[in-house]
Amino acid sequence: MLGSIARQRTFFLYTRSTAFRGLATHAPSTSTTKAIPAVLHLKTGQSFTGKSFGSPKSVFGETVFSTSITSYTESMTDPSYRGQILVFTTPMIGNYGVPANSAPYDSQDVGVVLESQGIQCSAVVVADVAERFSHHAAVESLHSWCHRHGVPGITGVDTRAITRILRDQGTTLGRLAVGEDVSAPPPAPEEYWDPTTENLVDQVSVREPYTLNPSGDVRIAILDFGAKANILRSLVRRGASCTVLPWNHDFNAIRDQFDGLFLSNGPGDPAHTMEAAMKLRKTFEEWDKPIFGICMGHQVIGMAAGLEAYRMTFGNRGHNQPVLALASSGSVKAGRVYVTR
């Protein structure tokens, strides 16, 4: 009897999940449930058909995947994803909506809740988009947010298959075709736009210097190659005064005002930042204070030291990874498994 009930429940869950593929929350008809077709074309020849959400427009981009279980809003607003079509491996995306993206400027916050003012990726690809959301801080749905920022999305596709392709062959150029563009043939290989041919860092970097937490007890200069807001937030919450500079700013002319230099993350090909690397080389030779780089900033440091920098086949887009604590430290206990944020 119990086995029969278990089998019935399994069958019931299976039929619900397959019948509503691409419509995770089974919401009543809204603008996201209208059958606007969409198809993701990869330069290597594969195509995946689903339906559109967000902005109903077609775009080119560099197709990458992210293993984030949560924090889709942070990933989408990360300037490092500029020009990229972002594939989420987690099946359901959008279930906790999108928060209001504003915060004060003080010793705890840097003006935004997420990683930048707006969505940075070119498009998003999900298996099941959640049309209803539930979170105390949410103010709109993923569909509404994407539509407002002019970013298209596709749902109802097998993101596992797409991820396996990207995992095996590396980052691949793609095109998300929406609406009438779906009936057009896939682009020819030479028609795909490669965002790395452009200086994406220059597109996302600040234009004018500005200072956060000016009363901080240590002064840090930040070369902005596309800095995530949480980097700035983490620094000011630890008492630092942060002056954010354009990526190619002449730091050497003002370096004596600061106790350290931070080079941020950023998008695209590091070869476009050689101007900053050459200025940094002079900093190495003449300045004896701490210099720290992360992601793109780390590559710029390498180029300044005379090394060659090149893009990895996949890049590092892993989040929420299980980590075994080998030793105890504060609230971390040896032998426990923690999940990274």
Side-chain angles (χ1 to χ4, degrees):
M1 180 66 178
L2 291 177
S4 175
I5 293 174
R7 285 193 296 272
Q8 291 177 9
R9 285 180 175 175
T10 301
F11 178 75
F12 174 72
L13 291 172
Y14 174 78
T15 53
R16 279 182 64 88
S17 64
T18 54
F20 292 94
R21 183 75 175 169
L23 179 54
T25 53
H26 327 312
S29 179
T30 66
S31 59
T32 57
T33 62
K34 294 178 181 178
I36 301 176
V39 59
L40 174 66
H41 297 297
L42 300 181
K43 186 178 180 180
T44 46
Q46 303 89 348
S47 295
F48 298 85
T49 301
K51 72 172 188 175
S52 167
F53 70 93
S55 179
K57 71 176 186 180
S58 302
V59 296
F60 285 96
E62 185 179 45
T63 312
V64 302
F65 67 86
S66 170
T67 62
S68 296
I69 299 173
T70 62
S71 305
Y72 52 85
T73 49
E74 285 79 4
S75 293
M76 292 170 63
T77 54
D78 183 346
S80 293
Y81 285 111
R82 183 78 165 194
Q84 296 184 328
I85 298 173
L86 183 54
V87 181
F88 287 102
T89 60
T90 298
M92 182 189 293
I93 296 293
N95 56 309
Y96 57 86
V98 180
N101 191 23
S102 62
Y105 289 92
D106 54 26
S107 62
Q108 297 295 310
D109 289 294
V110 294
V112 294
V113 172
L114 303 176
E115 300 298 351
S116 66
Q117 289 286 353
I119 300 176
Q120 298 290 342
C121 60
S122 294
V124 289
V125 180
V126 304
D128 294 298
V129 67
E131 298 192 351
R132 289 177 177 173
F133 57 89
S134 178
H135 193 276
H136 69 92
V139 297
E140 62 182 325
S141 67
L142 180 61
H143 160 73
S144 172
W145 188 47
C146 288
H147 190 277
R148 187 162 56 84
H149 284 274
V151 175
I154 183 173
T155 184
V157 295
D158 189 347
T159 52
R160 297 168 300 177
I162 299 172
T163 301
R164 291 188 66 176
I165 292 171
L166 299 178
R167 182 194 65 186
D168 293 341
Q169 68 188 24
T171 296
T172 302
L173 298 181
R175 172 172 168 80
L176 180 57
V178 176
E180 295 180 356
D181 291 342
V182 168
S183 59
E190 65 275 8
E191 294 178 326
Y192 283 88
W193 171 65
D194 184 355
T196 64
T197 60
E198 299 184 6
N199 188 348
L200 301 178
V201 166
D202 189 63
Q203 295 179 19
V204 298
S205 180
V206 296
R207 296 302 177 195
E208 298 293 335
Y210 68 93
T211 299
L212 298 166
N213 192 30
S215 61
D217 56 11
V218 61
R219 294 181 57 81
I220 306 296
I222 298 172
L223 285 180
D224 178 21
F225 298 98
K228 295 189 291 186
N230 197 50
I231 292 175
L232 308 177
R233 193 179 300 116
S234 297
L235 288 171
V236 301
R237 287 182 178 180
R238 287 163 174 80
S241 170
C242 297
T243 298
V244 184
L245 306 170
W247 70 276
N248 57 353
H249 193 85
D250 186 8
F251 171 70
N252 292 302
I254 57 173
R255 65 191 183 200
D256 292 339
Q257 304 174 25
F258 298 97
D259 303 304
L261 173 64
F262 184 94
L263 286 76
S264 81
N265 63 290
D269 189 340
H272 293 298
T273 64
M274 186 57 71
E275 179 184 353
M278 297 309 296
K279 293 176 180 177
L280 184 62
R281 180 173 296 182
K282 181 179 179 182
T283 309
F284 284 170
E285 296 170 349
E286 301 177 358
W287 205 54
D288 61 355
K289 294 182 180 179
I291 300 173
F292 180 70
I294 185 171
C295 299
M296 177 65 76
H298 184 255
Q299 296 178 77
V300 173
I301 288 176
M303 293 191 299
L307 302 176
E308 179 184 358
Y310 55 90
R311 301 189 73 213
M312 298 172 64
T313 303
F314 306 101
N316 179 15
R317 300 178 184 87
H319 303 263
N320 310 131
Q321 303 290 347
V323 178
L324 175 64
L326 300 180
S328 297
S329 177
S331 62
V332 176
K333 304 302 180 184
R336 292 191 60 180
V337 174
Y338 297 84
V339 177
T340 64
R341 297 179 65 180

